[in-house]
Amino acid sequence: QVQLVESGGGLVQAGGSLRLSCAASGRTFSRYAMGWFRQAPGKERDFVARISRSGGSTYYADSVKGRFTISRDNARNTVYLQMNSLKPEDTAVYYCAADGSTITGLQSYDYWGQGTQVTVSS
């Protein structure tokens, strides 16, 4: 299995930027597609972004398109979420997750980090 640890959260003003990092343990990081999710107080955990195993394909929730960028460095076992033009509604705990599915078209996030708090003030 893979162990995931998020970092980089904090307090930022609306319009500002943050970069989140997710460090993974193990030797098989490149075998996992990776995703970022977020959960605001009193709300469900929502999808934010996904990146393929090689980093060649990315997918974003409509709410963050054009503002957030997901990337990965397989040599460093790390996935990133660059967040620009932040809005108060982006305030949430952000989680990274690893998708271990080997079936094309199937998503299965089997491993999750502990989360990092992002707070955007108005």
Side-chain angles (χ1 to χ4, degrees), residues 63 89 118:
S63 59
E89 49 263 47
V118 172

Side-chain angles (χ1 to χ4, degrees), residues 53-101:
R53 288 170 288 180
S54 67
S57 299
T58 58
Y59 184 82
Y60 299 92
D62 288 342
S63 59
V64 306
K65 284 182 179 178
R67 300 188 299 120
F68 291 11
T69 302
I70 188 171
S71 62
R72 68 190 297 162
D73 186 342
N74 287 347
R76 301 185 67 177
N77 279 16
T78 304
V79 63
Y80 304 95
L81 185 68
Q82 178 66 48
M83 305 185 296
N84 299 326
S85 301
L86 283 162
K87 306 174 181 179
E89 49 263 47
D90 295 319
T91 295
V93 176
Y94 283 70
Y95 300 88
C96 66
D99 178 0
S101 177

Side-chain angles (χ1 to χ4, degrees), residues 10-115:
L11 176 64
V12 65
Q13 291 185 323
S17 299
L18 283 174
R19 188 181 74 164
L20 306 184
S21 298
C22 176
S25 65
R27 302 173 60 185
T28 59
F29 176 72
S30 63
R31 300 177 68 89
Y32 296 94
M34 299 294 297
W36 284 98
F37 295 77
R38 66 187 183 186
Q39 186 169 25
K43 296 185 178 181
E44 297 180 334
R45 184 173 298 183
D46 292 331
F47 167 79
V48 175
R50 176 182 173 88
I51 188 166
S52 62
R53 288 170 288 180
S54 67
S57 299
T58 58
Y59 184 82
Y60 299 92
D62 288 342
S63 59
V64 306
K65 284 182 179 178
R67 300 188 299 120
F68 291 11
T69 302
I70 188 171
S71 62
R72 68 190 297 162
D73 186 342
N74 287 347
R76 301 185 67 177
N77 279 16
T78 304
V79 63
Y80 304 95
L81 185 68
Q82 178 66 48
M83 305 185 296
N84 299 326
S85 301
L86 283 162
K87 306 174 181 179
E89 49 263 47
D90 295 319
T91 295
V93 176
Y94 283 70
Y95 300 88
C96 66
D99 178 0
S101 177
T102 59
I103 302 174
T104 301
L106 177 65
Q107 297 180 15
S108 180
Y109 291 101
D110 300 315
Y111 308 103
W112 295 79
Q114 295 295 318

